[in-house]
Amino acid sequence: MSSTVAETVYNEIRDDILYGELQPGVKLKLDALRDRYNAGVNTLREVLNRLVASGFVFVEGQKGFRVVETSPSNFKELTAMRLLLETDGLGKSIDAGDVEWEGRVAAAHHKLSAIEKRMLTEDSRELTVRWSQYDREFHQALISACGSDLHMRMHREIFDQFRRYVVIELKTHGFRAEDIIDEHRSICDLALARDKTAALAKLTDHIETYRRRSQD
């Protein structure tokens, strides 16, 4: 089976884990997955091993694969790691970013802002998935001049795991109406204005909002 098909199946299973369709701790039986995702066993094993490496799935000895459980302590660790990667990456990008970086940030925010306006009046799984994608792309654009592909790759993985906790623990996909729209706009404006201190403070508050809500 082609790598394109494997990538499609990977994204489908990852999204089902991210949005709680596959609950924490559930056993991932190959026969059931084969029917659900219309994929062969070899492709599924490849995909599941990728999901293990990404932190969404774990191997339970000789018993097969399970979706990783969630816990408050792990959410705290993910929040700290996301803060570390994103604030460091944004700080470096503000210092080193050129006009191409500015263009990526502005373009990513434009896409995100457009879909967020729709989110105020529409509600669908398709729209939620697209918003999550554009949200990730915006945050990745912010740190895209950090100078490290490894940094970018680790951030993407942590970002998706963080998103999963928001969906499962807070019973929401993460969109907070006008509040998050204003936060994204402010972060974008401050970053492009090269106001590093204010941009990092706004980004930190933006990320920690979810951790605070999980403690309410």
Side-chain angles (χ1 to χ4, degrees):
M1 191 166 285
S2 72
S3 58
T4 302
V5 173
E7 188 68 24
T8 298
V9 174
Y10 172 84
N11 289 331
E12 289 175 349
I13 297 178
R14 185 199 62 191
D15 285 348
D16 282 345
I17 293 173
L18 281 174
Y19 297 102
E21 298 293 332
L22 293 171
Q23 285 288 312
V26 71
K27 187 174 179 61
L28 299 171
K29 299 180 180 179
L30 291 175
D31 288 344
L33 295 177
R34 182 178 56 195
D35 295 337
R36 178 167 180 162
Y37 299 102
N38 192 30
V41 170
N42 289 338
T43 296
L44 288 169
R45 288 188 184 279
E46 173 190 337
V47 166
L48 290 173
N49 281 312
R50 282 186 61 191
L51 288 165
V52 169
S54 298
F56 293 109
V57 171
F58 72 97
V59 181
E60 190 182 26
Q62 300 299 316
K63 299 179 181 179
F65 298 92
R66 285 188 183 274
V67 176
V68 167
E69 297 276 8
T70 60
S71 70
S73 62
N74 198 21
F75 189 27
K76 183 178 180 179
E77 289 179 5
L78 284 170
T79 302
M81 182 57 70
R82 182 181 169 189
L83 277 168
L84 176 64
L85 290 169
E86 221 165 300
T87 55
D88 181 70
L90 177 57
K92 289 178 178 176
S93 293
I94 288 175
D95 289 339
D98 56 12
V99 69
E100 297 295 332
W101 170 73
E102 292 178 356
R104 290 193 297 272
V105 172
H109 181 258
H110 179 74
K111 285 173 60 179
L112 179 59
S113 178
I115 205 166
E116 285 180 333
K117 291 176 182 176
R118 291 182 58 190
M119 295 280 285
L120 293 173
T121 58
E122 301 177 41
D123 183 20
S124 69
R125 166 69 182 267
E126 179 186 0
L127 199 62
T128 296
V129 171
R130 285 181 60 198
W131 174 77
S132 297
Q133 175 188 339
Y134 292 170
D135 186 33
R136 186 204 301 119
E137 288 177 2
F138 171 64
H139 284 274
Q140 287 250 292
L142 287 169
I143 69 170
S144 62
C146 69
S148 170
D149 291 339
L150 177 59
H151 191 137
M152 295 288 294
R153 192 161 60 249
M154 289 179 64
H155 172 264
R156 179 187 174 100
E157 292 181 0
I158 292 296
F159 187 97
D160 282 347
Q161 291 184 46
F162 183 93
R163 170 79 70 203
R164 175 175 176 250
Y165 268 82
V166 170
V167 172
I168 293 171
E169 297 298 321
L170 304 187
K171 310 301 181 185
T172 173
H173 47 63
F175 181 68
R176 295 180 281 107
E178 295 287 357
D179 287 344
I180 200 168
I181 291 174
D182 290 343
E183 289 167 20
H184 284 149
R185 184 187 304 114
S186 294
I187 293 167
C188 179
D189 289 346
L190 291 167
L192 294 179
R194 309 291 176 138
D195 189 340
K196 184 161 67 172
T197 299
L200 295 181
K202 178 62 71 173
L203 177 62
T204 298
D205 186 65
H206 171 70
I207 295 171
E208 287 193 332
T209 293
Y210 295 103
R211 181 184 56 79
R212 291 194 296 267
R213 289 192 174 196
S214 74
Q215 297 173 338
D216 291 343

